[in-house]
Amino acid sequence: MPPARKRAIAASAPCLAAALLLSACSAPMADSARPDGLVVAETTAPSTLDPQGSSMYADRFAWQLSYECLYTTTADGRVEPALATGYDESADGLTYTFTLRHGVRFHNGSPLTADDVVYSFDRLHKGSRGIDEELFPTLKGVEKVDAEKVSFKLKTPDAGFVNNMANPLVWGCAIMSRHADASNPAITMVGTGPWKQTSYRANSELRLERNDDYWGRKAAAPALSVLYIPNVATQVANLQVGKIDLMFPDAASAAALKGRRDVALDKVETDSTIFLQVNNLRKPLDNQLVRQALALAVGRGELAEGAYHDGARPSVYIPPSSAWAPSVDRLPYSQPDLDRAKKLLSQAGYPHGFSTTLMYISGYDPGTDNLMTLMQAQLARVGIKVKLLPLERAAWSSKLTGPDYDLSWNAQSYYSNPIQYVLPAEGRQGPTPAELRKLLDDARAAGDQAAYQQALTKISEYEATHVYPTVTLLATNTFAAYRNVLDHVAVPPSQSRTFLTDVTKE
């Protein structure tokens, strides 16, 4: 995946109102005794610092500052060694043996050994979150070969196994010290990464310092403070007066910051996507012609501009930052065609359309509510009358896993293994068709990454044609706003905060 960051600094823009600056008074402040350290604002505080304790995307932004995996994925999509220097794959594709990097130490001083890797994956397997089942469904077990070698046994060949072992967000693959539970990992991170935790105030501030014993390229800054400020306007005010160095604004706040000479603004095209989940157990959505008509009624460009302005772009199943992925104009039923949609509805026995419901999490982000209203209007143009059902998060999740819905908004974050973007959600829809299941099995059995990507392209074509299990709509953009005294700010498509290691401050 090639990096897709763009500098977007406008020539001029009006200053924010003075009232906005006043909102900064309640924000936590960084230690002014560390003028050369970095101060970063995040909107959502982690629910836990345990890298196996949650499936929430925002929690991972803290974990990846201290924890690492055996492999990692670079901003341009290359899978590279991290805590391991390499691996050997057996001829039958069922065993991966990783050689650990010599001389790596955890932040508590203990050396990294095979016992720590076995402990980490045993702990993941015994956890209640089901992360191992989602990311490593083919993993049979993990065994120590010797102090510096670990063997992973698979039930069936899995071409995406190493991708999941290389998640730059360290979700599911973080290596923990085998003594981690003694230090309460929910509030204390003991990893191997370039930053060492020094203090943590839940919902307020996480402080870290440079790990001078780090095995790799050491952090450029001596310290890092992460302030958790839920109000984006407060973050903007603190950035303007120099109390924070970097933030990740929404599209509206980014627009307000354009043109300031003391602030740089980058737009980052991410691999997070928004999609429409279709319950093909419900009539008339069990009819493929109806689903195809629905897909042809959707105008992704109109949705991106109307709901998110500069904050999203059209997407299909694999995010567009993957250079090998099929584009929106290549896949069938992915371009709007209202006349054809109406003809398909007539062929299906619905010449006057039909009524359905569309549920979503109300206020999930600044664009969700507008997105749903726009989709309602688009579907109405071909006779599909949609009743919108705004729900709280818990109620939405309960109905989705029921499954007690017709159509549902949904969103997914970055996946290091691209097959995750096209996997059907078992239990939320009808059984996976045999033909699609075979395509998925063929992809997992692919012999190399090129064959794997070709297999995933076939899956995308199948799902676009059958409009199952989803209609992917948009890939989101994010923004990084920072004081112009910073350099080497390069947010990757995964949005991993590991780029902070390279950031320098004048």
Side-chain angles (χ1 to χ4, degrees):
M1 294 175 289
R5 61 189 290 267
K6 299 177 182 178
R7 180 60 55 89
I9 305 177
S12 64
C15 295
L16 292 178
L20 183 62
L21 291 172
L22 295 176
S23 66
C25 62
S26 61
M29 297 305 162
D31 187 351
S32 59
R34 293 176 172 176
D36 50 354
L38 297 176
V39 184
V40 176
E42 295 278 9
T43 303
T44 305
S47 64
T48 178
L49 296 183
D50 185 341
Q52 299 179 0
S54 163
S55 293
M56 292 180 60
Y57 182 64
D59 288 351
R60 305 169 204 175
F61 294 149
W63 306 341
Q64 61 212 230
L65 298 173
S66 286
Y67 289 105
E68 297 176 294
C69 298
L70 298 182
Y71 266 63
T72 191
T73 302
T74 64
D76 60 359
R78 290 176 292 111
V79 174
E80 290 188 342
L83 294 182
T85 56
Y87 68 87
D88 293 316
E89 180 183 353
S90 63
D92 60 6
L94 296 178
T95 303
Y96 289 77
T97 302
F98 290 81
T99 300
L100 301 185
R101 189 176 297 278
H102 182 72
V104 176
R105 291 189 174 274
F106 287 97
H107 298 154
N108 60 9
S110 65
L112 169 69
T113 70
D115 291 324
D116 299 300
V117 179
V118 173
Y119 163 83
S120 298
F121 280 87
D122 283 349
R123 185 177 187 268
L124 183 70
H125 178 66
K126 294 173 184 176
S128 61
R129 300 284 174 179
I131 300 172
D132 65 321
E133 296 176 2
E134 181 173 355
L135 298 180
F136 303 105
T138 60
L139 182 59
K140 184 177 181 180
V142 187
E143 298 175 359
K144 173 183 175 180
V145 177
D146 57 38
E148 294 187 349
K149 284 190 176 182
V150 184
S151 179
F152 290 79
K153 308 288 186 180
L154 306 186
K155 304 170 191 173
T156 58
D158 186 351
F161 173 72
V162 174
N163 295 80
N164 277 330
M165 293 290 285
N167 194 322
L169 306 180
V170 305
W171 187 46
C173 58
I175 303 303
M176 305 176 69
S177 165
R178 61 187 181 278
H179 307 297
D181 286 307
S183 60
N184 190 0
I187 58 173
T188 305
M189 296 188 292
V190 182
T192 58
W195 300 103
K196 294 171 59 175
Q197 178 184 335
T198 57
S199 66
Y200 177 58
R201 287 185 292 149
N203 301 311
S204 180
E205 182 179 15
L206 172 65
R207 289 190 183 183
L208 309 104
E209 64 183 8
R210 180 170 53 208
N211 178 12
D212 289 325
D213 294 325
Y214 184 53
W215 61 268
R217 186 170 64 250
K218 294 177 176 57
L224 171 64
S225 293
V226 184
L227 305 183
Y228 298 106
I229 307 174
N231 188 299
V232 177
T234 302
Q235 294 183 33
V236 170
N238 281 331
L239 179 69
Q240 289 176 311
V241 297
K243 291 178 179 177
I244 63 173
D245 297 314
L246 184 149
M247 62 174 289
F248 305 94
D250 56 29
S253 297
L257 284 166
K258 286 181 180 179
R260 290 187 59 93
R261 294 186 177 182
D262 56 342
V263 173
L265 184 67
D266 289 354
K267 183 174 77 171
V268 182
E269 296 181 348
T270 81
D271 285 343
S272 298
T273 56
I274 299 168
F275 59 95
L276 188 67
Q277 197 142 327
V278 184
N279 186 0
N280 64 328
L281 292 172
R282 294 284 185 91
K283 290 186 178 298
L285 300 171
D286 60 337
N287 188 317
Q288 180 176 302
L289 296 177
V290 169
R291 299 196 303 270
Q292 290 171 338
L294 183 149
L296 289 172
V298 173
R300 291 169 173 81
E302 181 184 356
L303 294 176
E305 176 58 28
Y308 289 95
H309 306 294
D310 208 22
R313 62 204 190 280
S315 179
V316 279
Y317 294 90
I318 307 295
S321 59
S322 298
W324 56 270
S327 60
V328 174
D329 57 357
R330 277 185 52 200
L331 289 181
Y333 303 99
S334 295
Q335 292 287 340
D337 189 333
L338 304 188
D339 290 338
R340 190 179 178 199
K342 292 174 182 177
K343 290 178 182 177
L344 288 172
L345 287 175
S346 293
Q347 292 176 32
Y350 299 93
H352 305 295
F354 63 93
S355 297
T356 189
T357 58
L358 169 56
M359 68 177 189
Y360 62 99
I361 298 175
S362 178
Y364 177 82
D365 64 22
T368 298
D369 292 359
N370 287 338
L371 177 67
M372 295 298 95
T373 301
L374 288 169
M375 281 212 66
Q376 181 186 45
Q378 286 186 346
L379 296 177
R381 293 187 297 210
V382 299
I384 301 176
K385 297 172 281 295
V386 173
K387 179 181 179 181
L388 296 180
L389 299 177
L391 301 171
E392 295 296 324
R393 187 184 297 266
W396 171 84
S397 180
S398 176
K399 291 175 73 69
L400 185 68
T401 55
D404 181 22
Y405 71 98
D406 294 340
L407 300 172
S408 177
W409 161 96
N410 210 333
Q412 57 192 355
S413 58
Y414 166 84
Y415 288 116
S416 57
N417 184 0
I419 200 172
Q420 301 288 140
Y421 290 105
V422 296
L423 283 177
E426 299 283 355
R428 297 180 180 180
Q429 297 158 293
T432 302
E435 186 179 356
L436 176 56
R437 192 174 295 279
K438 183 181 185 306
L439 289 172
L440 291 166
D441 291 342
D442 289 346
R444 292 190 176 100
D448 54 40
Q449 280 295 303
Y452 189 47
Q453 292 168 1
Q454 290 174 3
L456 294 177
T457 297
K458 288 183 179 180
I459 293 171
S460 298
E461 292 168 347
Y462 174 93
E463 294 187 349
T465 300
H466 292 77
V467 193
Y468 172 90
T470 67
V471 180
T472 303
L473 303 170
L474 305 173
T476 60
N477 299 330
T478 193
F479 299 88
Y482 50 97
R483 298 172 60 214
N484 60 11
V485 296
L486 300 189
D487 201 1
H488 302 105
V489 176
V491 185
S494 67
Q495 303 178 65
S496 169
R497 302 314 195 230
T498 53
F499 76 90
L500 293 170
T501 301
D502 297 324
V503 174
T504 57
K505 185 175 182 180
E506 294 177 6

